[in-house]
Amino acid sequence: MTDIRNLVILTGAGISAESGVATFRGPGGLWEGHRVERICTPQALADDPALVHRFYDARRAALATVEPNIAHHALARLDAAWPGDLLVVTQNVDNLHERAGSGRLLHMHGELRSALCAICEHRTPHDGDLPPGAACPACGAHALRPDIVFFGEMPYQMDRIEAALATADLFVSIGTSGAVYPAAGFVQRATHYGAATLELNLEHSAGSGLFDETRLGPASTLVPEWIN
Ligand code: BV8
């Protein structure tokens, strides 16, 4: 990576798979028989808040049973040592990147360990179950919801992501199926801005043809190999 100065690294569920966090669209990609596209919507939250809250309560509780893996730790070491710009943009809502030590990190689809007020949009760190109708500590409204970007909602910090892509020399995508936009379109944005693009994934993804290079294998092997 000699003439590379600015890095943008996109991660998806695949980077957490070897930590034991279920992915969404592989075998076993259901939760209580529900697909994420069906649960992760404002309509589902309105129709059945208990189901949606239970979905995220279960995943939040599971964080205590998993640890960052080799790939998370490799990215954290890169972050600490990298002299140029570096931004990890994760689609994941787990906290494994930060527990591994990544600092330059952005959760574009939200975080399990945060609650969002549907009225005043105040964010509150939250552990444990989040019952529907919990009171917002800022405005008092009984309107706390999981701090998750649902389908049809705008992902977080898109301006910051676009600015990072605009100055990236290398865009690396790790462990994502390329099934969900706008994240799946970042490789095209990076290419438009003149960055080189690399995909590290267990299998070919929907976007594999868009990358300069695709390497297939588990993240715990590919990420350290790429960095070293
Ligand atoms: C929006 C919440 C607009 C958190 C999620 C075009 C442009 C823009 C939007 C759209 C568009 N076309 C369609 C849309 C709408 C929609 C969309 O993309 N739909 C899809 C289904 C077609 N997008 C949206 O609605 C987005 N919002 O566009 O808003 C807007 C504009 C103005 C104003 C308002 C709004 C919002 C999308 C976010 C939805 N939230 N989740 C959560 O519950 O977790 S999406 C969900 O999918 C997760 O966040 C997840 O991160 C994401 C992507 O999945 P992956 O991470 O890729 O996981 P997956 O299981 O699919 O794949 C895992 C991969 O890892 C596999 O390839 C596998 O091979 C690999 N793997 C497995 N093991 C390993 C491995 N790799 C390496 N090592 C291993 N060991």
Side-chain angles (χ1 to χ4, degrees), residues 36-37 39-46 52 56 93 107-111 116-119 121 123 143-158 161 180-183 186:
V36 68
E37 288 85 359
I39 284 204
C40 182
T41 68
Q43 193 59 52
L45 183 65
V52 175
Y56 288 101
V93 293
H107 285 270
M108 68 178 288
H109 289 165
E111 298 177 67
L116 174 70
C117 179
I119 303 301
E121 298 194 343
R123 283 193 178 80
L144 287 187
R145 54 167 273 189
D147 185 9
I148 297 293
V149 177
F150 290 153
F151 286 98
E153 295 180 334
M154 179 62 87
Y156 294 153
Q157 302 189 60
M158 286 299 293
I161 296 169
V180 174
Y181 287 83
F186 291 168

Side-chain angles (χ1 to χ4, degrees), residues 13 22 41 49 58 73 155 165 174 213:
T41 68
H73 286 296
L165 291 169
I174 304 170
E213 183 187 356

Side-chain angles (χ1 to χ4, degrees), residues 109-217:
H109 289 165
E111 298 177 67
L112 285 170
R113 297 182 69 231
S114 175
L116 174 70
C117 179
I119 303 301
C120 73
E121 298 194 343
H122 176 80
R123 283 193 178 80
T124 312
H126 189 85
D127 273 315
D129 288 354
L130 178 67
C136 169
C139 75
H142 288 273
L144 287 187
R145 54 167 273 189
D147 185 9
I148 297 293
V149 177
F150 290 153
F151 286 98
E153 295 180 334
M154 179 62 87
Y156 294 153
Q157 302 189 60
M158 286 299 293
D159 292 345
R160 185 176 165 206
I161 296 169
E162 183 73 12
L165 291 169
T167 57
D169 303 302
L170 177 61
F171 172 75
V172 184
S173 175
I174 304 170
T176 182
S177 62
V180 174
Y181 287 83
F186 291 168
V187 57
Q188 291 157 300
R189 299 302 296 155
T191 301
H192 164 76
Y193 286 118
T197 58
L198 171 64
E199 179 184 39
L200 307 178
N201 208 53
L202 191 63
E203 59 203 352
H204 280 292
S205 71
S208 287
L210 301 170
F211 288 85
D212 298 327
E213 183 187 356
T214 290
R215 297 177 192 170
L216 299 182

Side-chain angles (χ1 to χ4, degrees), residues 57-128:
D57 288 349
R59 292 170 64 196
R60 190 177 306 111
L63 290 178
T65 68
V66 295
E67 295 291 331
N69 64 55
I70 292 170
H72 295 106
H73 286 296
L75 289 185
R77 284 196 304 277
L78 179 66
D79 182 2
W82 190 258
D85 292 345
L86 178 149
L87 182 62
V88 173
V89 179
T90 188
Q91 299 173 90
N92 300 338
V93 293
D94 64 48
N95 60 348
L96 295 176
H97 280 301
E98 40 274 70
R99 283 166 60 190
S102 278
R104 293 180 277 185
L105 171 68
L106 182 164
H107 285 270
M108 68 178 288
H109 289 165
E111 298 177 67
L112 285 170
R113 297 182 69 231
S114 175
L116 174 70
C117 179
I119 303 301
C120 73
E121 298 194 343
H122 176 80
R123 283 193 178 80
T124 312
H126 189 85
D127 273 315

